[in-house]
Amino acid sequence: MKLFFIVFLNGLTLASLYFITACGFTLIFGLMRTVNMAHGVLLLLGAYIGYEVVEMTGFWVLGIIAGGLSCALVGAFLQAFILGRYQGDELRQTLITIAISIILADFLLWAWGGLTYQISLPEMLQGGIRLPLLNVGYSVVRLTLIGMAIVVGVLLWLLIAKTKLGIIIRAGVDDREMLQALGFEIKKIFIIVFAMGAALAGMAGVIFGSALSISPGTDIQFLLSSLVVVIVGGMGSVGGAALGALLIGLAEQYGLAYAPTYGVVFTFLIMVTVLAFRPQGILGRAEQ
Amino acid sequence: MPLTDGSASNQRVALNLKGVTRRFGSFVAVDNLNMTIKTGERRAILGSNGAGKTTLFNLITGDFPLSEGSIEIEGVESSTLPTHKRIQAGLRRTYQHALLFDSLSVRDTLLLAVVGIHNKWPLFYPLKKNSKYHEKAEALAKVAGLSSKMDVLVGALSHGQKRQLEIGIALSGDPKIVLFDEPAAGLSPAERPVLTELLLSLPKKLSVILIEHDMDIALETSNIVSVMHNGKHLLEGEPEEVVHSDIVREIYVGKRQ
Amino acid sequence: MMPDQLLKIDKLNVYHGSSHTLQDIDINISNRPKAILGRNGMGKTTLCSALMGLTKAASGSVFLDQTDISSYSPESRAKTGIGYVPQGRRIFRSLTVIEHLKLVEKKDSRWSIEKIFSIFPRLAERRKNMGDRLSGGEQQMLAISRALMLDPKIMIMDEPTEGLAPTIVDDVVELLHSLAEHEIGLLLVEQNISVALEVASDILIMLNGRIVDQVTAEELKSNTQMQQKYLGINFA
Amino acid sequence: MSRTLLLIVVILIILPAFISDFWLNQILTRSIILGIAALSLTFLTTYLGVVSFAQITLAGVAGYTIAYFSPNTTGLGIELPWLFAVALALLFSTLAGAFVGAIAKKSVGIYSIMITLAISMAFFYFTRQNYSIFNGWTGFSGITAPVAFGVSLEDSLVFYYATLLSATAAGYLVVKFTSSPLGLAVQGVKDAARRVRAIGIPTTPVIIAAYAFSGFIAGMSGVLNVWQQERISSFSVGLGPTIDLLIIAVIGGMRHPLGAFIGAITYVLIDTFVIDLFSRDRFNMIIGLVLLFIVMAAPQGILGSFLSAQKRIRKYDNNAIKRKIKNDCEI
Amino acid sequence: LSQPILAADKIKIGVISILEGAFASLGQDGVRGAELAFKEAGGKVAGMDVEIIVMSSDASPDSAVNAARKLIDHDNVDIIIGPLSGSEGIALRDLSKGNKGVTFVNGSSAAQDATFREGSDNFFRFGGDGAQWMAGVGTYAFEELGYKKVAVVAEDYSFPYTQVLGFMSEYCAAGGRVPKKFWTPIGTKDYSSVVYSIPDDVDAIFVALGGADAVNFLTQYDQAGGDKPIIGGTITIDQSILDSKGPFKKLLIGAPAGTPTVSDYEGKEWKEFTASYLSNFPEGMTSPTIFAHHYYMAGKAVLLGLEQVDGDLSNQHKALRASLNNLEFVTPTGGTMRLDENRNGIIDNFVTEVYEREDGSLGNRVLKLVSNVNQTMGQDPTAFRAIGAVSRENPSCP
Ligand SMILES: Nc1ncnc2c1ncn2[C@@H]1O[C@H](COP(=O)(O)OP(=O)(O)OP(=O)(O)O)[C@@H](O)[C@H]1O
Ligand SMILES: Nc1ncnc2c1ncn2[C@@H]1O[C@H](COP(=O)(O)OP(=O)(O)OP(=O)(O)O)[C@@H](O)[C@H]1O
Ligand SMILES: [Mg+2]
Ligand SMILES: [Mg+2]
């Protein structure tokens, strides 16, 4: 029984991490309909840069900012010069981002090698504390993740639902031409959105690299988990992504604890089941 | 000029709507609506924008499920039948927003419409060049005024041409009840008399429900008029009578007519 | 005062593949509202969309208020002062009514959300509805409002009364009349002849991608032969 | 187009006389096999409007069936006469296709990518974790192509012709299918599913039929693939091959069956030789750049760019039509 | 016709290693090892030039086979060195059966079955399998360290199965018990639920995880307040992990493990080998990894074999094969490498311990040398064979 609760907590903290890593993806994917297959590699890039900055300066927060900023730049570049002109051509964008992720991943391998990296946490987040009721040690940083996820989620939701930028973005997804005909410079707006999504990815990468670790191949895992989370939850819905993350996080941890052999299979079967009955995801809006 | 005498009470019933209701969240788009369409009847439905007319059509065809009430088509309880079964039972419709196959040619679209109606299950093998289906498709194109556009992709048709194609599809096979959702919208003045002609020339045994904001067409082609307002069936009656009633003047017709 | 030449179209040509959809279009629009009439598929929508920059013109130029906007992007054209009400409405399906209006709300515009709501009370009632959950007529009102809120110098309206109930057509006609009071130019594509004749002072006739004639509304009203020739109709 | 097609087929028939075994086996035959799999994807994408990531899974179902029911060195499975094994393989892949269709029937566009991706990942992890049927991580090896009607398919030339014949059959089937009323209905579902129902055709069976058909085509490729590779494992149905297939389909072009094969040969050439031509440590970067270049430079895929230019001229040759309109309008 | 065709004045050797994805840096080190052997020989053997053609696989058997086919059919190589990982090894062994004109020398792939069952007479392994690499550890853990019960955390595929077999066959025989085994899918990021499921009453944890998986598990175990000692699988304490960046490393200090490759080995031969490696590959690791070590031995065996037969590859490499079967040479760790009747290496294995070097980096040092480890780990071959093929359940001693 104790294990059951611990696993629940594990699922919750993992879900927070998944949510944080999926946020940039929801933003780009949910709002611009760009299937950004380079999301994982952007996370990885942010994490490596964050690592360097933390090693250099010793400030963790600075690492997060640096990871975010560098990815924002890369993202803006990609959208402005490569992806932008194919807006609306989903399949081609998918392919282009796959190509970009192959190139970038190889670049990262070149620059940082194939070793595993962990980013040092600030003193106060290191190590574990004893949980009062369950009487087990628990990692501080994992507990903090829950808080971070909530903050990120609320900010993102406000951005999408409440700001004018949010309205513009949603309109742009529905009918780009019409939005142009209303005087909006859609290209610029999409560059900003992509940069924001990439920045979120970069920052999430630093957090991920601190809580767990990063190495080549992590990018694919990021990408898959983000895809699953966003799709199960419903594209463009922040609440949905949170719900999706929770479902997948819990499934994964319970799977690992109680049925390790087929645990991963279950994760994907959950996704299949959700989508078979709600193709638009749990909280997504139907296409027609 | 009424086509049949709407008052004859011993006529067969083509469509019977009882307590039909549809809610979207808390909003009631169609509200406890009762209506009986007799075989051969030509009914126009008038009503302001958002009155619930298109929603009513969507309920009849099964595009949307009912919230409450029942629908009988040709005496058969059809409230829960899937759309294609209702179509196979003789129901047809046009969509207000042309809903067409942009990547098929006009010919293929009409072929599909013809084949779809004639077979329970679309054929797996290709059709012969001059099959009976091709003839029927040609005939439909002629009715819709699209004979010259047979090999054009539907996506490249102009707005009005798409509306014409909608009508062609709705007349495929051997329809018993046809629902026209604003067929004249987007048609040029030159096309409108043609449409009127077409509506008037439909077989007598066919039942028609017509949503139309072009009053000339609506009044000329119908023998009974229903008025919808805020989802309710406000009143029905002889065309002239209804149009000149004060309430209809106020909520629908306005002063310019 | 409105300039004499608000919109000037000079030898505009548009192709779809190899078909020559618009052929040497010349139009001048001043303070007198103009309407284009023509049968289905003659190129009216193509013209509107080319003016907006959404369809590429092969040759020809467009001036708005003396500025050559031929090379402008759609967004620059909108900013320069064209309000566009497209055929088929093109409402954003995932925005609510109020979000549509907020999207284009401007501080110093003559058109506020309140003003729009007073013109179309139906929109106020449905303010929280998503774009794709509006009736056809409601969408049409919203499309007009959306363009108006940009405070344009000229409105290009592609069949704005399509699908509207007669009472609401009355409202729209009134609104179109008032455009002139606000010194807003108007290029109107209409299939509803009576609306066109009532609103526009000049009528352009389009046939197979050409402007084949220009007459005053008065002339066309009285000349049944002309009606027969260009529109294929008889006014009873 | 048909004359070009004939020319291509003739060239392909006489080509083995001029090339080495390696080119025959590892480049041509492999490309054609991949091309058949890609064809099952381009079919779904072009006509049903869904991007299916499950095609490798469907091919895998056929492949595993062959492995399980043929002699192999894994010590798992039951030996059946090869014709039975092939029939079972195609049956299973068709059924699996129908099953995927039944699950994904409501999903279009991006959503279809995701649900099929989820299905394929579930299958991948299942094969990796299960040892009793799929022999887990390692899979089956030592499978050999059978002796069919007196000739050994192990002979690379024979196998090449068998592959070529299968590809031609697959292409023919796709063309026939798409021009049949069912095929038109499939395209109708892509454009407006609601309208398909409103002309009296139920959409679910149409969607399932399209997926099942694609399963059959993918199954053909799956069978040939096991015979060529002489092995199959969880890696054969993983994310890598799945994405490769998408790359093949897109760079080749989706509009015409031939595109899948052009994409496949392009991909195989890049995959095989880039490491020789460029620095071996950075060859992935080169592959990425080449892919990026093709996708950006040829919007409709390599074949598509060529075809669409042709098609546009043919389809939209409105001059004749316009003359007619003129006649209709002139009073 | 039976004349040896010596006209070719060039020997072509293909090297297959993993140069993409998560294993890329390990694979690159493997290639370095092979290249080192040829560089040391001056790029010539038996008076002929050696041409090396490198192909990449992606850890999948399919890609290894494709790479090998390209090397054989297109590049016409005579010898293939590789591959890196277990399942790839089995795939190439199968491929070798149909390509008798090519000699396959295994790289670092360590699946038991590649040679133990269904071996192929032109597939050689100058090195051990994953079980051999654990020789000595089970006994050491039970007898020297006094661990009576150990839990196992290992990745869920063939190589870790083999490692666990190697550890358990000794450990259980000595009297130790393994009450619980956790097989986690490769690439698992979050082990926290495994961490909390480890029974409280075990004395230590045997961890057979590689790369990032090891790093993640150890970090999370520490954060959860775990304090059981660790016993490492071969790749868990590989230099590539010890060189990884991050705070998890302190957990490994003092962990015993089994490996044929010890980065800080004090032996003379190893020092020479390391010096040669470092001078030839300044961009390489701080010392050769197990992959460089094994690809090097493969390269060396090939060169020695060719030299012995004077480059005679006639008659499907008959002479070369015979010479390889009887080859003996001194390995970089100072032992003598020779093959058993299954063409599998009889090796020297080390029980090691992770320690902190003076500069703060981590290394391995030798606790014990176990010589002459054969594939049945010194047990009676028939009895060993009777254990059956390794799997999640086999062996078992709860
Ligand atoms: N899916 C939906 N969700 C919520 N509300 C809807 C939905 N569909 C329609 N409505 C609302 O129901 C009402 C009736 O819509 P309907 O389309 O039936 O009107 P209509 O009578 O056809 O109007 P028009 O003449 O303008 O086409 C409208 O106010 C519309 O906003
Ligand atoms: N994308 C396109 N590709 C090819 N041809 C097109 C395309 N769009 C329009 N056309 C053709 O151009 C001609 C003009 O179309 P347009 O939409 O401008 O007509 P319209 O006058 O607005 O007609 P309607 O009154 O029916 O709206 C039509 O014959 C149409 O088939
Ligand atoms: Mg309506
Ligand atoms: Mg138009």
Side-chain angles (χ1 to χ4, degrees), chain B residues 7-63:
Chain B
S7 62
S9 56
N10 57 349
Q11 267 179 308
R12 282 182 48 217
V13 173
L15 187 65
N16 197 7
L17 311 177
K18 281 188 282 194
V20 166
T21 302
R22 170 71 203 196
R23 290 185 209 93
F24 294 110
S26 61
F27 177 76
V28 190
V30 175
D31 194 356
N32 192 19
L33 181 138
N34 295 299
M35 196 183 278
T36 305
I37 315 297
K38 304 212 173 84
T39 304
E41 183 173 295
R42 305 293 149 104
R43 182 184 296 250
I45 298 186
L46 303 182
S48 194
N49 296 119
K53 306 179 296 293
T54 300
T55 307
L56 179 64
F57 274 14
N58 283 332
L59 294 174
I60 297 174
T61 53
D63 283 44

Coordinates of all heavy atoms in Angstrom, one line a residue, chain B residues 7-63:
Chain B
S7 N -54.6 20.8 -48.4 CA -55.6 20.6 -47.4 C -56.0 19.1 -47.4 O -56.7 18.7 -46.5 CB -56.7 21.5 -47.6 OG -57.3 21.3 -48.8
A8 N -55.7 18.4 -48.5 CA -56.2 17.1 -48.6 C -55.6 16.2 -47.5 O -54.4 16.1 -47.3 CB -55.8 16.4 -50.0
S9 N -56.5 15.7 -46.6 CA -56.0 15.1 -45.4 C -55.7 13.6 -45.5 O -55.1 13.1 -44.6 CB -57.0 15.4 -44.3 OG -58.3 14.9 -44.7
N10 N -56.2 13.0 -46.6 CA -56.0 11.6 -46.7 C -54.7 11.2 -47.4 O -54.4 10.1 -47.7 CB -57.2 10.9 -47.4 CG -57.3 11.6 -48.8 OD1 -56.7 12.6 -49.1 ND2 -58.2 11.0 -49.7
Q11 N -53.9 12.3 -47.6 CA -52.6 12.0 -48.2 C -51.6 11.3 -47.3 O -51.7 11.4 -46.1 CB -51.9 13.4 -48.6 CG -52.2 13.8 -50.0 CD -51.6 15.1 -50.3 OE1 -51.7 16.1 -49.5 NE2 -50.8 15.2 -51.4
R12 N -50.7 10.6 -47.9 CA -49.7 9.8 -47.1 C -48.7 10.8 -46.5 O -48.4 11.9 -47.0 CB -48.9 8.8 -48.0 CG -49.7 7.6 -48.2 CD -48.9 6.6 -49.0 NE -47.6 6.4 -48.5 CZ -46.5 6.2 -49.3 NH1 -46.7 6.2 -50.6 NH2 -45.4 6.0 -48.8
V13 N -48.1 10.4 -45.4 CA -47.2 11.3 -44.7 C -45.8 10.9 -45.1 O -45.4 9.8 -44.9 CB -47.4 11.2 -43.2 CG1 -46.3 12.0 -42.4 CG2 -48.7 11.7 -42.8
A14 N -45.0 11.9 -45.6 CA -43.6 11.6 -45.9 C -42.7 11.8 -44.8 O -41.8 10.9 -44.5 CB -43.2 12.6 -47.1
L15 N -43.0 12.8 -44.0 CA -42.0 13.1 -42.9 C -42.8 13.6 -41.7 O -43.7 14.5 -41.9 CB -41.1 14.2 -43.4 CG -39.9 14.5 -42.5 CD1 -39.0 13.3 -42.3 CD2 -39.1 15.7 -43.1
N16 N -42.6 13.0 -40.6 CA -43.3 13.4 -39.4 C -42.4 13.7 -38.2 O -41.6 12.9 -37.8 CB -44.3 12.2 -39.0 CG -45.4 12.8 -38.0 OD1 -45.5 13.9 -37.8 ND2 -46.2 11.8 -37.5
L17 N -42.4 15.0 -37.8 CA -41.5 15.4 -36.7 C -42.3 15.7 -35.5 O -43.3 16.4 -35.5 CB -40.8 16.7 -37.1 CG -40.2 16.8 -38.5 CD1 -39.5 18.1 -38.8 CD2 -39.1 15.7 -38.6
K18 N -42.0 15.0 -34.4 CA -42.7 15.1 -33.2 C -41.8 15.6 -32.0 O -40.9 14.9 -31.7 CB -43.4 13.8 -32.8 CG -44.6 13.5 -33.6 CD -45.4 12.3 -33.1 CE -44.7 11.1 -33.6 NZ -45.5 9.8 -33.5
G19 N -42.1 16.7 -31.5 CA -41.4 17.2 -30.3 C -39.9 17.3 -30.6 O -39.1 17.1 -29.6
V20 N -39.5 17.6 -31.8 CA -38.0 17.6 -32.1 C -37.3 18.8 -31.4 O -37.7 19.9 -31.5 CB -37.9 17.7 -33.6 CG1 -36.4 18.0 -34.0 CG2 -38.3 16.4 -34.3
T21 N -36.3 18.4 -30.7 CA -35.5 19.4 -29.9 C -34.1 19.1 -30.0 O -33.6 18.0 -30.1 CB -35.9 19.2 -28.4 OG1 -37.3 19.4 -28.3 CG2 -35.2 20.3 -27.5
R22 N -33.3 20.2 -30.1 CA -31.9 20.1 -30.1 C -31.2 21.2 -29.3 O -31.5 22.4 -29.5 CB -31.3 20.2 -31.6 CG -29.8 20.3 -31.7 CD -29.1 19.0 -31.3 NE -27.7 19.3 -30.9 CZ -26.8 18.4 -30.8 NH1 -27.0 17.1 -31.1 NH2 -25.6 18.7 -30.4
R23 N -30.4 20.8 -28.4 CA -29.7 21.8 -27.5 C -28.3 21.8 -27.8 O -27.7 20.7 -28.1 CB -29.9 21.4 -26.0 CG -31.4 21.6 -25.6 CD -31.5 21.4 -24.1 NE -32.8 20.9 -23.8 CZ -33.2 19.7 -23.8 NH1 -32.3 18.7 -23.9 NH2 -34.5 19.3 -23.6
F24 N -27.7 22.9 -27.8 CA -26.2 23.0 -27.8 C -25.8 23.6 -26.4 O -26.0 24.8 -26.2 CB -25.7 24.0 -28.9 CG -26.0 23.4 -30.2 CD1 -26.9 24.0 -31.1 CD2 -25.3 22.3 -30.7 CE1 -27.2 23.6 -32.3 CE2 -25.5 21.8 -32.0 CZ -26.5 22.5 -32.8
G25 N -25.4 22.8 -25.5 CA -25.2 23.3 -24.2 C -26.5 23.7 -23.6 O -27.5 22.9 -23.6
S26 N -26.6 24.9 -23.1 CA -27.8 25.4 -22.6 C -28.7 26.0 -23.6 O -29.9 26.4 -23.4 CB -27.6 26.4 -21.4 OG -26.9 27.5 -21.9
F27 N -28.1 26.2 -24.8 CA -28.9 26.9 -25.8 C -29.7 26.0 -26.6 O -29.3 24.9 -27.0 CB -27.8 27.6 -26.8 CG -28.4 28.3 -28.0 CD1 -29.0 29.5 -27.8 CD2 -28.4 27.7 -29.2 CE1 -29.6 30.2 -28.9 CE2 -29.0 28.4 -30.3 CZ -29.6 29.6 -30.1
V28 N -31.0 26.4 -26.8 CA -31.9 25.5 -27.5 C -32.1 26.0 -28.9 O -32.7 27.0 -29.2 CB -33.3 25.5 -26.8 CG1 -34.2 24.4 -27.4 CG2 -33.2 25.3 -25.3
A29 N -31.5 25.3 -29.9 CA -31.5 25.7 -31.2 C -32.8 25.3 -31.9 O -33.3 26.1 -32.7 CB -30.3 25.1 -32.0
V30 N -33.3 24.1 -31.6 CA -34.6 23.7 -32.1 C -35.4 23.3 -30.9 O -35.0 22.5 -30.1 CB -34.5 22.6 -33.2 CG1 -35.9 22.1 -33.6 CG2 -33.7 23.0 -34.4
D31 N -36.6 23.9 -30.8 CA -37.4 23.8 -29.5 C -38.7 23.1 -29.7 O -39.6 23.7 -30.3 CB -37.5 25.2 -29.0 CG -38.0 25.2 -27.5 OD1 -38.2 24.1 -27.0 OD2 -38.1 26.3 -27.0
N32 N -38.8 21.8 -29.3 CA -40.1 21.1 -29.3 C -40.9 21.4 -30.6 O -42.0 21.8 -30.5 CB -40.9 21.5 -28.1 CG -42.1 20.6 -27.9 OD1 -42.1 19.5 -28.4 ND2 -43.0 21.1 -27.1
L33 N -40.3 21.0 -31.7 CA -40.9 21.4 -33.0 C -41.7 20.2 -33.5 O -41.3 19.0 -33.6 CB -39.8 21.7 -34.0 CG -40.2 22.1 -35.4 CD1 -39.4 23.3 -35.8 CD2 -40.1 21.0 -36.4
N34 N -43.0 20.5 -33.9 CA -43.8 19.5 -34.6 C -44.1 19.9 -36.0 O -44.4 21.1 -36.2 CB -45.2 19.3 -33.8 CG -44.9 18.8 -32.4 OD1 -44.4 17.7 -32.2 ND2 -45.3 19.7 -31.4
M35 N -44.1 18.9 -36.9 CA -44.3 19.3 -38.3 C -44.6 18.0 -39.0 O -44.0 17.0 -38.8 CB -43.1 20.0 -38.9 CG -43.3 20.7 -40.2 SD -41.8 21.4 -40.8 CE -41.6 22.9 -39.8
T36 N -45.6 18.1 -39.9 CA -46.0 16.9 -40.7 C -45.9 17.3 -42.2 O -46.5 18.2 -42.6 CB -47.4 16.4 -40.4 OG1 -47.5 16.2 -39.0 CG2 -47.7 15.1 -41.2
I37 N -45.0 16.6 -42.9 CA -44.9 16.8 -44.4 C -45.6 15.7 -45.1 O -45.3 14.5 -44.9 CB -43.4 16.8 -44.8 CG1 -42.5 17.6 -43.8 CG2 -43.3 17.3 -46.2 CD1 -42.8 19.1 -43.7
K38 N -46.6 16.1 -45.9 CA -47.3 15.1 -46.6 C -46.6 14.8 -47.9 O -45.9 15.6 -48.5 CB -48.7 15.6 -46.9 CG -49.5 16.0 -45.6 CD -50.9 15.7 -45.7 CE -51.6 15.9 -44.4 NZ -51.9 17.3 -44.2
T39 N -46.9 13.6 -48.5 CA -46.2 13.3 -49.7 C -46.7 14.2 -50.8 O -47.8 14.5 -51.0 CB -46.7 11.8 -50.2 OG1 -46.3 11.0 -49.1 CG2 -45.9 11.4 -51.4
G40 N -45.7 14.8 -51.5 CA -46.0 15.7 -52.6 C -46.1 17.1 -52.1 O -46.3 18.0 -52.9
E41 N -45.9 17.3 -50.9 CA -46.1 18.7 -50.3 C -44.8 19.5 -50.7 O -43.7 19.0 -50.7 CB -46.2 18.6 -48.8 CG -46.4 19.9 -48.1 CD -46.8 19.6 -46.6 OE1 -47.8 19.0 -46.3 OE2 -45.9 20.0 -45.8
R42 N -45.0 20.8 -50.9 CA -43.9 21.7 -51.1 C -44.0 22.7 -50.0 O -44.8 23.6 -49.9 CB -44.1 22.5 -52.4 CG -44.2 21.6 -53.6 CD -42.9 20.8 -53.8 NE -43.2 19.5 -54.4 CZ -43.0 19.2 -55.7 NH1 -42.5 20.1 -56.5 NH2 -43.2 18.0 -56.1
R43 N -43.0 22.6 -49.0 CA -43.1 23.5 -47.9 C -41.9 24.4 -47.8 O -40.8 23.9 -48.0 CB -43.2 22.7 -46.6 CG -43.3 23.6 -45.3 CD -43.3 22.7 -44.1 NE -44.4 21.8 -44.0 CZ -45.4 22.0 -43.1 NH1 -45.4 23.0 -42.3 NH2 -46.4 21.1 -43.1
A44 N -42.1 25.7 -47.7 CA -41.0 26.6 -47.4 C -40.9 26.9 -46.0 O -41.9 27.0 -45.3 CB -41.3 27.9 -48.2
I45 N -39.7 26.9 -45.5 CA -39.5 27.3 -44.1 C -38.8 28.7 -44.1 O -37.8 28.9 -44.7 CB -38.6 26.3 -43.3 CG1 -39.3 25.0 -43.3 CG2 -38.3 26.8 -41.9 CD1 -38.6 23.9 -42.4
L46 N -39.5 29.7 -43.5 CA -39.0 31.0 -43.3 C -38.5 31.2 -41.9 O -39.0 30.5 -41.0 CB -40.0 32.1 -43.7 CG -40.6 32.0 -45.1 CD1 -41.6 33.1 -45.3 CD2 -39.6 32.0 -46.2
G47 N -37.6 32.1 -41.7 CA -37.2 32.4 -40.4 C -35.9 33.1 -40.4 O -35.1 33.0 -41.3
S48 N -35.8 34.0 -39.4 CA -34.6 34.9 -39.4 C -33.3 34.0 -39.3 O -33.4 32.8 -39.0 CB -34.7 35.9 -38.3 OG -33.8 36.9 -38.5
N49 N -32.2 34.7 -39.4 CA -30.9 34.0 -39.2 C -30.8 33.5 -37.8 O -31.0 34.2 -36.9 CB -29.8 35.0 -39.6 CG -29.8 35.4 -41.0 OD1 -29.9 36.6 -41.3 ND2 -29.7 34.5 -41.9
G50 N -30.4 32.3 -37.7 CA -30.2 31.7 -36.4 C -31.5 31.1 -35.8 O -31.5 30.7 -34.7
A51 N -32.6 31.1 -36.6 CA -33.8 30.6 -36.1 C -33.8 29.1 -35.9 O -34.6 28.6 -35.1 CB -35.0 30.9 -37.1
G52 N -32.9 28.4 -36.5 CA -32.8 27.0 -36.3 C -33.1 26.1 -37.5 O -33.3 24.9 -37.4
K53 N -33.2 26.7 -38.6 CA -33.7 26.0 -39.8 C -32.6 25.0 -40.3 O -33.0 23.8 -40.5 CB -33.9 27.1 -41.0 CG -34.8 28.2 -40.6 CD -35.0 29.2 -41.7 CE -33.7 29.9 -42.1 NZ -33.2 30.9 -41.1
T54 N -31.4 25.4 -40.4 CA -30.4 24.4 -40.8 C -30.2 23.3 -39.8 O -30.0 22.2 -40.2 CB -29.0 25.2 -41.1 OG1 -29.2 26.2 -42.1 CG2 -28.0 24.2 -41.5
T55 N -30.3 23.7 -38.6 CA -30.2 22.7 -37.5 C -31.3 21.7 -37.7 O -31.0 20.5 -37.5 CB -30.2 23.4 -36.1 OG1 -29.3 24.4 -36.1 CG2 -30.0 22.4 -35.0
L56 N -32.5 22.2 -38.0 CA -33.6 21.2 -38.2 C -33.2 20.2 -39.3 O -33.5 19.0 -39.2 CB -34.9 22.0 -38.6 CG -36.1 21.2 -38.8 CD1 -36.5 20.4 -37.5 CD2 -37.3 22.0 -39.3
F57 N -32.7 20.7 -40.4 CA -32.3 19.8 -41.5 C -31.3 18.8 -41.0 O -31.3 17.7 -41.3 CB -31.7 20.6 -42.7 CG -32.7 21.2 -43.6 CD1 -34.1 21.2 -43.3 CD2 -32.3 21.6 -44.9 CE1 -35.0 21.7 -44.2 CE2 -33.3 22.1 -45.8 CZ -34.6 22.1 -45.4
N58 N -30.3 19.3 -40.2 CA -29.3 18.4 -39.7 C -29.8 17.3 -38.9 O -29.3 16.2 -38.8 CB -28.2 19.2 -39.0 CG -27.3 20.0 -39.9 OD1 -27.0 19.5 -41.0 ND2 -26.8 21.1 -39.4
L59 N -30.9 17.7 -38.2 CA -31.6 16.7 -37.3 C -32.3 15.7 -38.2 O -32.3 14.5 -37.9 CB -32.5 17.3 -36.3 CG -31.9 18.2 -35.3 CD1 -32.9 19.0 -34.5 CD2 -31.0 17.4 -34.4
I60 N -33.0 16.2 -39.2 CA -33.7 15.2 -40.1 C -32.8 14.3 -40.8 O -33.1 13.1 -40.9 CB -34.6 16.0 -41.1 CG1 -35.6 16.9 -40.4 CG2 -35.3 15.1 -42.1 CD1 -36.3 17.9 -41.3
T61 N -31.7 14.7 -41.2 CA -30.8 13.8 -42.0 C -29.9 13.0 -41.0 O -29.3 12.1 -41.5 CB -29.8 14.6 -42.9 OG1 -29.2 15.6 -42.1 CG2 -30.5 15.2 -44.0
G62 N -29.9 13.4 -39.7 CA -29.0 12.6 -38.8 C -27.6 13.2 -38.7 O -26.8 12.5 -38.1
D63 N -27.3 14.3 -39.3 CA -26.0 14.9 -39.2 C -25.7 15.2 -37.7 O -24.6 15.1 -37.2 CB -25.9 16.2 -40.0 CG -25.6 15.9 -41.5 OD1 -26.3 15.0 -42.0 OD2 -24.8 16.5 -42.1

